[in-house]
Amino acid sequence: TRGRAQVTARLRESLGAPSRIEWLMGTPLVSLVVQRLTVDEFGVKRQALGVVANVLQAFQADPRPSTAGWAASLVYEHGAVAPLVALLDVHDADVLRVALHASGGVLAAGEQLARSSRGGVCSNPFTLPFAEAFGVEKLEELQQHPNPAVGRRAAALLDRYFGGVGDAMDASEDAAAGDGCAFTGGGEGREPRAVYVF
């Protein structure tokens, strides 16, 4: 397990430049990192979360449809939504803040992809998987978190992507109806603004 943590930490340290992230997305390493979010001890999960958050930060540094493809790849091909949502149950405020930021990155990428596809008529493809993983309920619970930054971020995500607490399930049901939109991507962007290190 210590070896996995060291590999994940080195991988996280090497991220930053868009060309490195683009290279990473084309390797099986992303799948292995996402798996670490679910099957390893908490320390390894923290490190893997840092890698995922940094990849998603690349999108947020340059929210064009091409860079939103990185997040799309992370979400669809590697199944990162459910493990990210699962980390919204932890009691470590630092991990919660990073998991909330990464979840926001996933949802923001979906919003950008929806705007850029078919003249902006597509729905966010990531709200349904997030809701199916009980992410909406976890965000609602986190609004009452003792750490005010965690509560504010959870409320902001609910308001922005799910229309607030009362309308959250309606928004996810709209996404479930499907609109026939398909998303692809990949691309280049600027360096991320922040790097998550635990």
Side-chain angles (χ1 to χ4, degrees):
T1 303
R2 185 170 186 253
R4 289 182 191 155
Q6 289 174 339
V7 169
T8 305
R10 285 188 185 134
L11 189 57
R12 187 192 65 236
E13 288 170 8
S14 71
L15 292 177
S19 60
R20 289 183 185 154
I21 295 172
E22 188 174 353
W23 168 83
L24 176 70
M25 295 306 291
T27 71
L29 292 175
V30 174
S31 179
L32 294 173
V33 170
V34 171
Q35 287 175 0
R36 301 288 65 93
L37 289 172
T38 59
V39 298
D40 277 315
E41 65 184 26
F42 185 69
V44 176
K45 287 181 184 184
R46 283 175 57 119
Q47 299 297 322
L49 175 62
V51 172
V52 171
N54 286 327
V55 170
L56 292 168
Q57 183 64 33
F59 159 72
Q60 291 181 327
D62 182 14
R64 295 178 296 169
S66 61
T67 53
W70 287 339
S73 175
L74 193 65
V75 171
Y76 282 131
E77 294 176 25
H78 303 293
V81 171
L84 282 176
V85 170
L87 287 170
L88 295 176
D89 278 339
V90 301
H91 298 289
D92 183 316
D94 290 335
V95 171
L96 279 174
R97 283 194 301 269
V98 175
L100 284 166
H101 192 80
S103 296
V106 167
L107 294 167
E111 187 176 74
Q112 178 62 29
L113 287 168
R115 277 196 303 259
S116 67
S117 296
R118 293 194 183 179
V121 298
C122 297
S123 61
N124 185 330
F126 304 148
T127 55
L128 179 62
F130 191 86
E132 288 178 338
F134 302 102
V136 174
E137 292 86 350
K138 290 180 183 182
L139 290 176
E140 289 171 349
E141 291 171 14
L142 286 173
Q143 290 181 100
Q144 307 306 318
H145 195 273
N147 184 312
V150 170
R152 284 191 305 269
R153 181 68 175 152
L157 290 175
L158 279 171
D159 287 344
R160 180 169 181 176
Y161 300 107
F162 299 99
V165 176
D167 300 326
M169 290 315 295
D170 292 339
S172 62
E173 288 170 5
D174 291 344
D179 49 23
C181 297
F183 300 97
T184 60
E188 55 187 83
R190 298 186 308 261
E191 273 196 46
R193 291 176 290 193
V195 175
Y196 294 101
V197 178
F198 288 106

